[in-house]
Amino acid sequence: MCAHKIAVGVLGATGMVGQRYIYLLKDHPWFEVTYVAASPRSAGKKYREAVESRWLIGSDVPAGVADLVVQDANDAKLALGACKFVFSALEMDKDAIKALEAAYAAEGIPVVSNASANRWTDDVPMLIPEINPHHLSVIAEQKKHRGWDKGFIAVKPNCSLQSYMMPIFALQQAGYPVKRMIVTTLQATSGAGYPGVPSFDMIDNIVPYIGGEEEKTEREVLKILGTVKDGKIENAAGPLVAAHCNRVPVIDGHTACVSLEFDLPENKKPSLEEIERVWTAFTALPQELALPSAPVQPIIVRHEPNRPQPRRDRENDKGMAVTIGRLRTCPVFDIRFVALSHNTKRGAALGGILNAELLKAKGFFDAL
Ligand code: NAP
């Protein structure tokens, strides 16, 4: 253990997102994995044995983690003294995750979560660090009214909306608010975890239904763009989003085809050139703070008629940049475009790590 690094745990370390955490944290400048936990099925095994037949990353299990013994994630007390905070990448019943994340926080162990269980808890920030870092202010109230001393919970939103949230936020910030949007997502199979959707359902096919995904894609936008009032997050009134979420035979990288209408009179609507200028110039707090996992340029605009593509664009800037193409006018709404983001990096593990970097930079781990 490097003396200058913070010891971290990963709950759900054996799963699709958990494995990404293990891999992405292996050379992290601030954090070091010292604790891994999963279901009772994996508990008691060395990490490399627990993932032996299902390690999904094209590289060996990092040496520093391979021999850690997997603990039962259901017992928060086991993490005491073994790590300072945890990333939660658990896939279980929502109420069980909610209770478990609260149990870690009550033990004084902050939880940076990927799970959806606490996304609608109104004193829990749902962060995209480029958009709503000010939502961190609700953590003080969260700790106060739950009686937690050092522990707290912060979450990240669903992977389906990562590709278009920064673009619509950048437009809103530049004075071009969005009134209505229709979004059709083409979501990678890795978004369903491991083993996920059976290969027989996925090869040579598209599945036009992902349970609960359209509701999350439509609602989470409003909390992310919400304001803080009396220690809680109050949802924004708009934009109104209609989503069609589809599972497609792509391994990583969620694509979204978006049509949107501005909440502006005709003569105030931005031109395509102005929209591209806003997107290309967009930077925010993570870039200002030079957080290790922050992309240098969060939104990349491509002009080729056949981009973005998952295989060619998902890894842009560590898998943390959003890539946009096919920006053009829309005969029904105002504009349309195609946006792409890496679902297990920006949309899951590296997005969670960026949240933790923001929390550290803002002093939330100082007392640990
Ligand atoms: P996954 O591959 O199914 O992994 C689930 C993890 O949870 C495994 O480590 C598993 O341990 C553990 N687990 C399952 N049941 C448990 C129990 N009863 N007690 C303790 N641990 C248990 O799922 P995933 O895709 O990594 O997703 C993890 C979380 O991230 C989910 O909440 C998901 O909604 C969210 N998320 C996923 C993505 C994505 O792109 N995949 C994107 C954003 C958010 P065992 O291996 O021992 O069974």
Side-chain angles (χ1 to χ4, degrees):
M1 172 77 204
C2 294
H4 67 282
K5 293 195 185 181
I6 300 178
V8 305
V10 179
L11 312 179
T14 51
M16 174 77 72
V17 175
Q19 291 183 23
R20 280 271 180 217
Y21 270 116
I22 299 300
Y23 185 72
L24 292 164
L25 287 166
K26 77 180 167 61
D27 298 315
H28 195 278
W30 299 351
F31 309 135
E32 184 168 338
V33 177
T34 56
Y35 186 78
V36 286
S39 80
R41 296 178 289 278
S42 304
K45 296 178 187 166
K46 285 191 172 172
Y47 183 75
R48 74 176 135 75
E49 292 160 4
V51 295
E52 199 164 34
S53 59
R54 51 180 169 142
W55 179 251
L56 298 160
I57 300 188
S59 167
D60 289 341
V61 174
V65 176
D67 288 328
L68 291 179
V69 174
V70 179
Q71 305 295 327
D72 181 355
N74 296 284
D75 187 351
K77 286 197 186 332
L78 296 175
L80 282 173
C83 61
K84 297 290 188 189
F85 75 91
V86 291
F87 292 103
S88 166
L90 294 166
E91 177 67 79
M92 337 168 23
D93 171 73
K94 274 195 191 18
D95 289 339
I97 295 184
K98 207 168 178 176
L100 204 45
E101 293 186 346
Y104 280 84
E107 292 294 343
I109 301 171
V111 180
V112 180
S113 182
N114 282 69
S116 60
N118 271 304
R119 289 190 194 147
W120 285 99
T121 314
D122 58 9
D123 62 359
V124 170
M126 178 157 65
L127 299 168
I128 294 180
E130 282 88 351
I131 298 179
N132 58 358
H134 56 290
H135 287 191
L136 289 175
S137 66
V138 303
I139 288 176
E141 189 62 26
Q142 181 196 120
K143 289 164 80 171
K144 197 168 108 192
H145 89 255
R146 316 261 194 128
W148 295 340
D149 173 19
K150 295 177 180 170
F152 59 84
I153 302 170
V155 303
K156 60 169 292 308
N158 203 43
C159 47
S160 61
L161 44 78
Q162 303 286 334
S163 67
Y164 57 84
M165 275 312 301
M166 281 199 286
I168 66 167
F169 173 71
L171 290 171
Q172 177 175 301
Q173 204 184 29
Y176 307 121
V178 174
K179 185 176 180 186
R180 299 191 296 169
M181 298 170 56
I182 295 180
V183 180
T184 301
T185 66
L186 309 167
Q187 300 188 207
T189 51
S190 60
Y194 184 81
V197 190
S199 57
F200 216 83
D201 289 339
M202 222 48 264
I203 297 170
D204 186 32
N205 207 13
I206 287 174
V207 181
Y209 174 70
I210 306 173
E213 200 80 344
E214 289 171 354
E215 294 78 358
K216 290 179 198 162
T217 304
E218 291 170 358
R219 286 179 67 208
E220 290 183 13
V221 172
L222 305 178
K223 181 168 178 183
I224 296 163
L225 297 176
T227 46
V228 176
K229 199 171 166 203
D230 301 329
K232 295 195 167 146
I233 295 156
E234 217 167 73
N235 291 346
L240 184 63
V241 182
H244 307 262
C245 295
N246 303 281
R247 188 72 72 198
V248 299
V250 162
I251 290 177
D252 283 317
H254 287 354
T255 300
C257 303
V258 181
S259 279
L260 65 79
E261 178 183 46
F262 291 105
D263 197 3
L264 289 168
E266 213 52 48
N267 64 348
K268 300 274 191 224
K269 290 180 180 176
S271 64
L272 296 180
E273 292 70 29
E274 169 65 356
I275 291 167
E276 180 172 340
R277 189 199 64 73
V278 167
W279 283 344
T280 309
F282 176 72
T283 59
L285 188 60
Q287 288 69 41
E288 196 184 302
L289 296 172
L291 298 179
S293 302
V296 175
Q297 185 175 339
I299 303 173
I300 296 169
V301 179
R302 303 223 45 136
H303 298 107
E304 303 89 327
N306 62 352
R307 303 286 280 275
Q309 295 179 17
R311 276 216 313 254
R312 297 171 79 175
D313 296 302
R314 63 191 166 205
E315 298 294 347
N316 282 338
D317 213 334
K318 308 177 278 287
M320 288 297 278
V322 162
T323 306
I324 299 190
R326 309 218 57 223
L327 172 62
R328 59 218 194 276
T329 55
C330 173
V332 180
F333 283 177
D334 290 320
I335 61 160
R336 49 192 162 152
F337 57 92
V338 180
L340 173 87
S341 69
H342 197 304
N343 58 299
T344 57
K345 291 188 176 173
R346 167 59 85 164
L350 207 46
I353 293 169
L354 185 63
N355 281 352
E357 291 167 358
L358 177 68
L359 286 158
K360 181 187 178 297
K362 289 289 174 187
F364 284 84
F365 296 147
D366 288 356
L368 299 178

